[in-house]
Amino acid sequence: MAEKHKESILIIDDEAMVRNVLCQLLCDKYFCIAAETAEDALAILEEKTFDLIISDIDLGRTNGIELIPKVFESSPDTVVVMISGKQTIESAIDAMRVGAFDYIKKPFDLDYVEIAVRRALDHHYLLTAKRRYENHLEELVKQRTDELHYLAYHDALTDLPNRILFEDRLFQAFVQARQNRQKIAVLFLSLDRFKIISDTLGHIPGFKLLQEVAERLKRCVGENSTIARFEGDEFALLLTQIKNAKEVVEIVEKIVEEINFPFSIDRNKLFTTASIGVGFFPEDGDDIQTLLKNTGVALSRVKAQGGNSYQFFTPEMNLSVLKRLSLENDLRYALERNEFEVYFQPKLDIHTRQIVGMEALVRWNHPKSGIVSPHDFIPLAEETGLIVPLGEWVLRNACLQNKKWQNDGLKFLPMSVNVSPRQLETPNLSEIVAEILAETKMDASYLELEVTESSIMSDPECAVKMLNDLKKIGIRISIDDFGTGYSSLSYLKHLPIDVLKIDRAFVQDLASNADDAALVMTIITLAHHLRLKVVAEGVETEDQLRYLHLLKCDEWQGFLYSKPVSADRFIKLLADENQIAAQDLMKDQ
Ligand code: C2E
Ligand code: MG
Ligand code: MG
């Protein structure tokens, strides 16, 4: 068995007799060393620390009271017991004041000395235990602090720096670039339709995709660059010591290529694309906030143009942001000021070319800018939530107009009205629609609501429930802009819909692009198989119409016959149609 560690005592006294007595008394149990003067003691203490020091107060040149602070400097847990021949309370108080633990009077009562030594060593034991505990605690706190520090500056999912660390690195890069007159590039990258991917496949595959994107980004840039994940599917890259824009273009194109390559997530092949906005220091902002803001503007521009591309910031982009801000402001008042109007675009039968329906499309008569296109304000109304009251307004006024035509004895024509994603998420949409139908006395069988694929795919379960509720009222549902979203054809059979509207993008090149023609044919065949009616959007030429006829499309709408027109002009279209029909009748007779 290892010999038990002996506690150590340094005895300091100028009287040899005292040193001997104490050593004799204590050396059996403890490891004792004796010193005659304070200087000798300090020399010994330089070599070794002691658990206990028993020191005389009167020691010649340096006395015991002066010695104690020096002991504590090098060994704060050593316990000191003072000895003195003086019987005064003042000397005891002096000793305690500088940190002595106990005080023994001469001549000694040896039993008392043994008790006092034991008590002092027990105190030392407590002190060292407390110190150990404190050290341990300090280490734990440090470790936790390091961990928290890491978490505060990194993204837990990808382990990349987060926004705070990115901005910190950007700040340092600014300082260096200013000193050395260098360029910096900041890239904002966002995955296109990431929300749809993660909503359709679940969050875990979505997370794995983001981790894989992080790995691919690392392969595209040098070690000195910083890649950060901000939130969701947004990443930021900081490229320093840039020589020219060409260098950045090469990196950006490499990134686009890397992201376009299919991802293997849980044995599924996933395809995604990225939008990238680029800003340069100093041209696009010589402070952090301006540069980040402008890079964000460049990214929004790429997204607004359909994604899967990149753009460098230009000052004109900010002008359109300003325009957007003032538009947003005006939009808030447009409803109160009665600036909206419903236009109607006829839908025609593919065989007879007769008007068989209409689509209601909103227009904004802006007091200064004139007619603003829905493309410019519908997304804004979506973002701000104004689409909900605006959508109600359109539905009410379109129904009022249609009912009026019916009352005026015109042909009863079914009418479709667009419903935006945000409206579809409104829990009481079916009640609102039912109320409007009751209020305008419009028969539900003449109303169709157009929803887009993506608004269904963002929360299919909820959307299907809402569509079922709407169908219960007796109205019909169509899928608008079909082919541009993410839903698979096989998904269609699960949806309670009546009509498919083929997006203009496929109709446009129908006559010149065999792939588009094949696609449209597949869509029409499948839709008919599912007993859905097919309407082609955006027909502009006779050629396109001929193809649609051949492919057995049911109805069409487009500039070839008429643009969306005001209610007054729509009656004229109907009247013209009647006149032509009457003339035809006359000719036949
Ligand atoms: P949409 O529902 O797909 O409507 C068809 C759009 O295509 C209309 O644009 C129409 O003017 C246009 N169009 C029709 N035929 C042709 C053609 O032959 N050639 C070309 N180039 N375009 C054609 P518009 O009226 O500017 O509306 C754009 C989009 O704004 C609509 O697309 C719809 O998504 C949305 N929108 C319009 N009105 C409303 C509304 O009241 N509520 C909601 N939520 N969205 C609306
Ligand atoms: Mg539509
Ligand atoms: Mg459409």
Side-chain angles (χ1 to χ4, degrees):
M1 232 170 76
E3 199 189 325
K4 190 174 168 272
H5 165 75
K6 271 186 171 178
E7 289 147 308
S8 57
I9 303 174
L10 176 63
I11 298 161
I12 314 165
D13 202 308
D14 52 350
E15 280 180 58
M17 197 268 290
V18 173
R19 293 199 300 274
N20 287 338
V21 167
L22 289 175
C23 279
Q24 289 286 329
L25 178 70
L26 302 170
C27 69
D28 272 355
K29 284 195 197 151
Y30 309 109
F31 172 76
C32 299
I33 290 187
E36 190 179 340
T37 62
E39 289 72 24
D40 289 351
L42 286 173
I44 294 169
L45 283 169
E46 267 180 33
E47 304 290 322
K48 177 175 167 51
T49 54
F50 287 82
D51 301 329
L52 171 64
I53 292 177
I54 304 174
S55 173
D56 193 9
I57 290 182
D58 310 306
L59 281 176
R61 257 199 300 155
T62 310
N63 70 28
I65 303 287
E66 290 161 343
L67 176 66
I68 294 178
K70 292 182 181 164
V71 170
F72 287 150
E73 258 172 43
S74 61
S75 164
D77 292 338
T78 298
V79 175
V80 179
V81 170
M82 303 304 293
I83 328 169
S84 175
K86 286 188 188 153
Q87 304 295 324
T88 58
I89 187 79
E90 283 77 17
S91 58
I93 290 171
D94 282 348
M96 298 299 177
R97 194 169 282 147
V98 287
F101 174 70
D102 204 352
Y103 181 86
I104 307 175
K105 284 180 294 192
K106 287 184 199 170
F108 300 137
D109 168 344
L110 293 183
D111 286 344
Y112 179 77
V113 171
E114 273 194 299
I115 292 168
V117 164
R118 190 60 258 154
R119 203 166 50 208
L121 283 168
D122 287 348
H123 181 67
H124 167 74
Y125 176 79
L126 283 178
L127 276 187
T128 47
K130 181 167 164 260
R131 171 89 50 200
R132 261 202 310 276
Y133 177 70
E134 279 170 357
N135 286 347
H136 178 64
L137 214 62
E138 211 170 281
E139 208 165 289
L140 268 182
V141 169
K142 189 177 168 310
Q143 209 176 327
R144 293 296 294 159
T145 314
D146 288 352
E147 278 170 24
L148 285 174
H149 187 269
Y150 188 84
L151 282 177
Y153 290 99
H154 289 81
D155 162 45
L157 182 69
T158 57
D159 228 14
L160 291 175
N162 62 11
R163 184 189 285 270
I164 303 170
L165 184 53
F166 184 84
E167 289 190 10
D168 192 48
R169 299 247 174 105
L170 186 58
F171 178 76
Q172 290 166 21
F174 264 44
V175 174
Q176 214 170 26
R178 276 201 189 102
Q179 270 171 6
N180 306 333
R181 296 182 176 278
Q182 288 165 333
K183 262 183 191 297
I184 295 172
V186 171
L187 275 58
F188 280 172
L189 177 148
S190 161
L191 295 181
D192 300 324
R193 301 192 188 90
F194 175 73
K195 190 175 176 315
I196 298 179
I197 293 177
S198 86
D199 284 350
T200 324
L201 297 178
H203 292 298
I204 306 288
F207 290 158
K208 287 183 183 166
L209 176 66
L210 292 174
Q211 285 169 331
E212 181 58 30
V213 168
E215 290 309 311
R216 291 193 187 181
L217 289 179
K218 285 183 201 162
R219 294 206 286 266
C220 298
V221 294
E223 286 201 340
N224 290 334
S225 313
T226 297
I227 308 170
R229 178 177 167 237
F230 281 6
E231 55 263 324
D233 58 294
E234 275 188 22
F235 293 84
L237 289 89
L238 166 62
L239 312 176
T240 52
Q241 298 177 23
I242 296 297
K243 287 185 210 76
N244 49 42
K246 187 168 161 275
E247 200 181 324
V248 178
V249 169
E250 277 165 17
I251 292 175
V252 172
E253 286 184 345
K254 200 163 147 196
I255 293 175
V256 169
E257 199 180 313
E258 274 282 346
I259 304 290
N260 281 352
F261 200 72
F263 288 80
S264 280
I265 308 283
D266 296 339
R267 276 180 274 139
N268 283 323
K269 256 204 174 119
L270 277 189
F271 293 86
T272 186
T273 51
S275 299
I276 302 173
V278 185
F280 285 99
F281 165 86
E283 298 89 329
D284 304 332
D286 68 354
D287 65 277
I288 291 185
Q289 290 321 319
T290 311
L291 181 59
L292 293 184
K293 190 186 100 239
N294 288 343
T295 310
V297 167
L299 172 65
S300 315
R301 180 54 71 94
V302 183
K303 291 228 131 201
Q305 292 177 351
N308 191 18
S309 183
Y310 63 89
Q311 287 220 7
F312 286 14
F313 171 78
T314 61
E316 294 76 55
M317 288 180 181
N318 261 338
L319 278 182
S320 69
V321 169
L322 283 179
K323 204 174 129 201
R324 195 188 124 103
L325 276 180
S326 85
L327 208 62
E328 187 178 326
N329 222 9
D330 293 349
L331 190 60
R332 292 186 188 281
Y333 297 103
L335 209 54
E336 297 168 20
R337 295 181 188 150
N338 216 12
E339 290 170 3
F340 292 110
E341 186 178 349
V342 184
Y343 270 40
F344 299 88
Q345 186 177 36
K347 285 184 200 166
L348 298 115
D349 183 277
I350 202 104
H351 306 287
T352 64
R353 285 209 188 194
Q354 292 273 310
I355 299 179
V356 287
M358 68 189 86
E359 176 174 4
L361 292 153
V362 69
R363 294 289 178 266
W364 178 11
N365 297 311
H366 189 278
K368 284 196 206 117
S369 319
I371 291 196
V372 185
S373 158
H375 284 297
D376 289 332
F377 70 86
I378 293 284
L380 206 58
E382 261 285 299
E383 260 173 55
T384 51
L386 281 165
I387 192 71
V388 177
L390 173 60
E392 267 186 62
W393 184 91
V394 173
L395 184 63
R396 180 173 292 108
N397 284 277
C399 287
L400 279 173
Q401 183 60 65
N402 193 288
K403 182 68 192 170
K404 185 173 178 301
W405 285 328
Q406 294 182 0
N407 290 343
D408 290 348
L410 295 174
K411 195 155 82 170
F412 278 37
L413 290 170
M415 172 183 71
S416 63
V417 178
N418 293 282
V419 170
S420 81
R422 184 107 169 219
Q423 281 176 279
L424 199 64
E425 283 168 12
T426 317
N428 60 344
L429 176 67
S430 58
E431 288 153 37
I432 294 172
V433 173
E435 266 169 36
I436 291 178
L437 286 172
E439 188 188 313
T440 57
K441 302 198 173 55
M442 163 103 167
D443 186 338
S445 62
Y446 288 100
L447 180 65
E448 179 178 307
L449 292 185
E450 296 192 5
V451 295
T452 57
E453 283 171 83
S454 46
S455 68
I456 295 177
M457 296 318 286
S458 73
D459 187 351
E461 230 173 275
C462 210
V464 167
K465 195 186 158 299
M466 175 55 75
L467 296 183
N468 276 322
D469 288 350
L470 287 167
K471 287 214 67 172
K472 276 184 210 143
I473 305 174
I475 63 171
R476 298 194 309 164
I477 306 289
S478 61
I479 300 277
D480 201 358
D481 306 342
F482 187 78
T484 55
Y486 239 69
S487 64
S488 59
L489 285 170
S490 60
Y491 199 79
L492 283 178
K493 66 170 181 278
H494 302 293
L495 300 177
I497 53 170
D498 309 276
V499 181
L500 261 196
K501 296 189 73 181
I502 301 179
D503 191 70
R504 190 165 70 88
F506 301 102
V507 175
Q508 217 168 16
D509 298 329
L510 195 57
S512 56
N513 184 325
D515 285 347
D516 279 2
L519 194 74
V520 171
M521 187 173 78
T522 313
I523 295 175
I524 295 175
T525 312
L526 185 98
H528 284 163
H529 188 72
L530 296 172
R531 294 180 213 292
L532 303 177
K533 191 167 76 182
V534 185
V535 179
E537 297 186 289
V539 181
E540 292 179 350
T541 66
E542 287 291 347
D543 259 1
Q544 292 164 350
L545 189 59
R546 231 184 339 263
Y547 262 85
L548 289 164
H549 194 264
L550 276 175
L551 298 176
K552 299 194 166 49
C553 182
D554 303 295
E555 289 175 15
W556 61 281
Q557 60 187 94
F559 294 175
L560 177 63
Y561 184 81
S562 168
K563 289 190 171 183
V565 292
S566 65
D568 291 345
R569 303 247 332 251
F570 192 83
I571 308 181
K572 287 208 181 82
L573 287 177
L574 283 177
D576 289 350
E577 193 184 72
N578 283 338
Q579 219 169 5
I580 293 169
Q583 281 166 2
D584 287 350
L585 203 65
M586 298 264 280
K587 262 191 248 158
D588 291 347
Q589 280 169 354

